[in-house]
Amino acid sequence: MSNLFLLLLLVVASALNAASQSGRRVTTPRPAQTAPVQPPLNPEPEISASGAPAAPSALLFLPESLRERQIKALDKGSFRFADFEGRVVVINLWASWCGPCRREVPEYEKVRKAYAGRDVEFIGLTTEDPRTSSDRVNKFLRDVSFGFRLGWADHETARTLMNGMNSIPQTLVLDAGGRVVNHWGGYSPGRSGDKLKQTIDHALQTAR
């Protein structure tokens, strides 16, 4: 009996000694560090439920704040869209560096002259900055005869009129009640003038 007890004691002592000599420790590994996710530099356009990029709603009327905004004229003074209430208003957005704008002006000038004496106001707004582009704009106007009422479109005016269509030239036609009859972008050689004339005629008819 004593021999059996001794044997058990030796087995336990050997096991404890082996464990102390192994040097192994159980450790909990640290979680891996992760960098914060950065938002994309060029976020994707908002996607509609159909899977296509969401398009801005059509501009139906000029906001009251825009109608009353003072627009700096290219020559001197200023004017407001509200000044032409009761008239069909043509608004053309252009810039001196825009090649299509340069080619579009002669076609639009023929249309303007055809409506001389009618209740139609033709306004041309450059999207350039008067502080840095006056010389370039004046040279453009010396090269191209542009008889529209001309002014500088500040950032807010240009943004509202473009309504998400970030290109020029652009043309808007308002009827006598201030409703936007048509709004289009780009220049079509030999066709833009006809499109403008047809839209003006439609706007004049709606006023009757």
Side-chain angles (χ1 to χ4, degrees):
M1 186 70 176
S2 58
N3 289 338
L4 180 59
F5 177 76
L6 232 331
L7 181 60
L8 289 174
L9 187 59
L10 286 174
V11 170
V12 171
S14 298
L16 290 174
N17 183 59
S20 63
Q21 296 298 323
S22 66
R24 292 186 301 173
R25 293 186 300 170
V26 178
T27 59
T28 303
R30 293 182 180 180
Q33 292 186 350
T34 57
V37 177
Q38 299 293 330
L41 295 179
N42 296 305
E44 294 294 326
E46 182 181 351
I47 303 299
S48 66
S50 64
S57 57
L59 183 66
L60 302 179
F61 290 91
L62 298 188
E64 186 67 18
S65 58
L66 181 57
R67 293 183 67 255
E68 297 294 338
R69 184 185 295 271
Q70 292 289 338
I71 297 173
K72 183 180 178 182
L74 257 62
D75 48 9
K76 59 181 179 179
S78 62
F79 58 89
R80 306 170 305 157
F81 291 123
D83 296 337
F84 314 111
E85 188 173 350
R87 297 168 63 89
V88 171
V89 178
V90 175
I91 304 171
N92 180 240
L93 295 168
W94 60 278
S96 62
W97 46 261
C98 167
C101 300
R102 182 179 293 267
R103 295 190 294 273
E104 182 180 67
V105 168
E107 288 192 36
Y108 276 12
E109 269 296 287
K110 290 180 181 179
V111 176
R112 182 188 67 81
K113 292 175 181 178
Y115 288 90
R118 306 282 297 277
D119 286 334
V120 184
E121 187 70 28
F122 293 83
I123 299 173
L125 300 179
T126 175
T127 58
E128 296 162 277
D129 189 337
R131 296 169 297 181
T132 58
S133 304
S134 291
D135 291 343
R136 187 166 59 241
V137 167
N138 288 331
K139 182 181 184 307
F140 177 91
L141 296 176
R142 287 194 297 270
D143 296 340
V144 179
S145 177
F146 203 178
F148 283 34
R149 184 186 298 272
L150 300 174
W152 301 95
D154 59 51
H155 176 75
E156 183 64 22
T157 297
R159 185 186 67 82
T160 303
L161 291 174
M162 288 183 172
N163 194 39
M165 192 189 306
N166 295 319
S167 62
I168 53 171
Q170 287 190 39
T171 304
L172 299 91
V173 178
L174 283 63
D175 65 17
R179 184 175 66 90
V180 178
V181 177
N182 205 347
H183 176 198
W184 67 90
Y187 164 66
S188 299
R191 297 195 296 273
S192 285
D194 290 339
K195 182 174 184 176
L196 178 59
K197 186 177 184 303
Q198 292 169 5
T199 307
I200 292 172
D201 287 342
H202 175 68
L204 288 170
Q205 290 172 2
T206 60
R208 293 175 183 173

